[in-house]
Amino acid sequence: MVVEGNGVWITTDDGRRLIDGFSGLGCTSLGYDSERIAAAAHEQLSTLPYAPTFYGRTHPKIAALADRLVGIAPGDMSRVIFQCSGSEATDTLIKFLWARSAARGEPDRRVFISRRRGYYGNTVASVSLSGQPHMHAKFGLPLEGFVKTETPNYYLAHHDGETEQEFSQRMADDLERVILDVGPDSVAAFAAEPMQSGGGVIKPPEGYWPRMQAVLKKYEIHFHVDEVVCGFGRTGNRWGSETWGLEPDSVSCAKALTAGFFPMSALLFKDDLFEDLRANADEVGVLGHGFTYSGHPVGAAIALEALDIYEDIDLVGHVRSVSPGFLAGCEALLEHPLVGDVRGVGLFCGIQLVEDKATRALFDPALKVGQRVQDHAHDRGLYLRTIAPDRISFMPPLIIEPDEIVEATSRLAGALDDTWKDLRS
Ligand SMILES: Cc1ncc(COP(=O)(O)O)c(C=O)c1O
């Protein structure tokens, strides 16, 4: 039970203080206190605590935020629609692209391609786009028309002797195979995160994105980039798209949009999609889509303040300056007998635990090795998340300082030692 937060630290109801190694759920970019955000929220609550963004209505804060996001977005985004969560942004994307297909007289262009282990949300449609079998199994999901291509986990999936470039070509070939299987004219979009997060923090291998984008261009497939985790500095640039040279046709963001202080997401897209939506809406008199709390004024005030703070403290510059120490601390863990692979960028790192480093063999899931590391880390004062198969997802708040990084990585090393002792006994 977490009862309080300060800086990168959280306090539980039994009085323990833990370093947050997972930024809440990848969202608390500024840690757990900000007088400026509290003041911005208070002022907005006192001025206009609610206003809808439906049926031609809007309010100044959301208009300002829309302008701001369009100004900084990757690609030539010119339109924004707001929701309350990353999942709703994904659902909005799916609905808008289906509407576009109808508007263009291509009603069969409805298939979405994404990657196994990708994560884009938990509503019925967004979880169908996600490649997480445990989120489908008991729900009769995914919906039809959501197909998957490979996940670029070079460490676990490369063939002996295969280089990263060769592996990346194999990934791109699989994408092409899926497109051809479905039929290029049936594909509404390919959606991906610049670097997979919920799938276990999987850094794209060398040559991956240029090769994937070449296939998308060849078949003129809409490329949606999910910046929900990567956006606002996580990878050492404002956008993951910048880190890997992505050219998105649409973008979603959430989480650090409000530093995690308010539930808000945004879907950004270009004029051509907007014109198709307008054509469709004209036929029925309205664009029949939205949520009561979309574009909430308090969320907008908080997001505007968070974006100001990011600039005032040069958050991206800070991430770049502390990242080498963070990554070196993580890479030092490779010497540990449990650690087979460490791959990261910015303040975003995946650490793979294996039973046998030579063969990359994973532990029997029944041993719950990842869970043990998570529990020992908790006991040592580090909040972490491990994702099956036994992959540690390490992504502290972006304001973390070098001494806190040293403390966090040493607590993690201790948790690995504790787990190693468990397994030996
Ligand atoms: C990359 C990505 N997209 C979308 C989502 C869904 O966001 P939300 O939980 O706000 O619905 C998440 C959630 O973790 C995510 O990691």
Side-chain angles (χ1 to χ4, degrees):
M1 186 83 80
V2 177
V3 292
E4 206 185 324
N6 307 93
V8 300
W9 296 83
I10 50 177
T11 308
T12 52
D13 59 346
D14 55 1
R16 295 152 77 71
R17 291 187 81 227
L18 290 87
I19 300 177
D20 182 357
F22 196 62
S23 300
L25 278 174
C27 53
T28 52
S29 46
L30 294 174
Y32 287 84
D33 51 307
S34 167
E35 290 299 326
R36 283 179 61 177
I37 290 187
H42 184 265
E43 191 189 326
Q44 190 60 41
L45 281 164
S46 317
T47 319
L48 181 70
Y50 176 78
T53 53
F54 265 56
Y55 301 126
R57 296 200 174 161
T58 190
H59 58 86
K61 284 281 169 19
I62 205 67
L65 181 60
D67 278 348
R68 187 85 176 262
L69 283 177
V70 161
I72 60 174
D76 305 320
M77 304 301 143
S78 56
R79 304 285 169 174
V80 196
I81 184 163
F82 293 93
Q83 305 79 20
C84 311
S85 67
S87 304
E88 287 163 307
T90 303
D91 265 32
T92 300
L93 166 84
I94 293 167
K95 287 175 70 182
F96 281 10
L97 290 184
W98 283 344
R100 144 181 279 188
S101 297
R104 290 192 168 180
E106 298 182 304
D108 295 334
R109 191 183 280 282
R110 288 176 70 84
V111 174
F112 279 80
I113 304 176
S114 55
R115 299 178 296 176
R116 294 196 180 88
R117 303 198 58 75
Y119 185 64
Y120 314 99
N122 229 308
T123 52
V124 171
S126 63
V127 85
S128 294
L129 188 68
S130 302
Q132 303 272 345
H134 71 288
M135 293 180 176
H136 297 153
K138 299 292 177 193
F139 302 101
L141 291 168
L143 296 175
E144 228 179 274
F146 290 87
V147 298
K148 303 291 180 288
T149 182
E150 294 293 347
T151 202
N153 188 332
Y154 174 77
Y155 174 71
L156 284 184
H158 74 270
H159 299 149
D160 284 342
E162 193 179 32
T163 65
E164 290 201 22
Q165 290 284 358
E166 288 162 350
F167 175 83
S168 294
Q169 186 56 48
R170 186 151 63 83
M171 299 295 102
D173 290 345
D174 189 65
L175 174 63
E176 184 160 19
R177 177 193 62 76
V178 173
I179 292 171
L180 292 174
D181 276 359
V182 172
D185 293 345
S186 302
V187 180
F190 168 74
E193 296 170 77
M195 169 150 155
Q196 269 183 348
S197 174
V201 188
I202 295 166
K203 185 178 170 188
E206 268 172 46
Y208 177 77
W209 277 123
R211 288 167 199 267
M212 294 291 279
Q213 289 194 110
V215 174
L216 297 173
K217 286 211 171 102
K218 179 171 171 189
Y219 295 98
E220 296 181 354
I221 305 286
H222 181 104
F223 183 19
H224 175 74
V225 175
D226 180 325
E227 292 270 5
V228 166
V229 171
C230 292
F232 306 105
R234 175 62 59 194
T235 66
N237 286 295
R238 183 186 274 139
W239 305 104
S241 293
E242 284 170 59
T243 304
W244 286 285
L246 306 187
E247 295 172 41
D249 296 304
S250 56
V251 169
S252 47
C253 60
K255 296 193 190 261
L257 171 61
T258 58
F261 285 38
F262 198 90
M264 177 173 257
S265 65
L267 174 70
L268 293 108
F269 50 97
K270 300 185 182 184
D271 268 340
D272 58 338
L273 175 53
F274 180 78
E275 290 308 329
D276 288 335
L277 293 173
R278 195 210 293 271
N280 244 1
D282 281 350
E283 266 179 38
V284 288
V286 67
L287 176 67
H289 175 83
F291 306 98
T292 300
Y293 303 108
S294 302
H296 198 286
V298 179
I302 288 175
L304 284 166
E305 193 64 28
L307 295 180
D308 279 348
I309 295 173
Y310 295 166
E311 278 180 23
D312 293 349
I313 66 173
D314 185 15
L315 189 63
V316 169
H318 175 77
V319 171
R320 286 187 188 171
S321 75
V322 299
S323 169
F326 171 73
L327 295 176
C330 293
E331 277 156 20
L333 299 171
L334 271 170
E335 286 178 18
H336 197 279
L338 284 174
V339 177
D341 184 48
V342 174
R343 263 159 228 260
V345 63
L347 283 172
F348 199 17
C349 192
I351 300 168
Q352 182 66 55
L353 309 177
V354 287
E355 181 166 21
D356 184 333
K357 292 194 195 211
T359 63
R360 296 178 264 139
L362 297 167
F363 284 102
D364 176 354
L367 286 170
K368 295 191 188 308
V369 174
Q371 181 67 46
R372 284 171 197 264
V373 173
Q374 198 171 293
D375 293 346
H376 285 304
H378 185 96
D379 291 342
R380 286 177 174 266
L382 175 66
Y383 166 64
L384 267 190
R385 182 165 175 217
T386 49
I387 294 172
D390 298 328
R391 199 167 170 89
I392 299 168
S393 182
F394 199 10
M395 44 192 305
L398 303 182
I399 49 145
I400 194 165
E401 292 294 343
D403 56 330
E404 293 165 328
I405 288 174
V406 169
E407 188 57 42
T409 41
S410 109
R411 290 179 188 199
L412 175 54
L416 291 169
D417 288 344
D418 297 341
T419 306
W420 180 239
K421 277 187 208 132
D422 284 356
L423 293 172
R424 285 164 65 97
S425 68

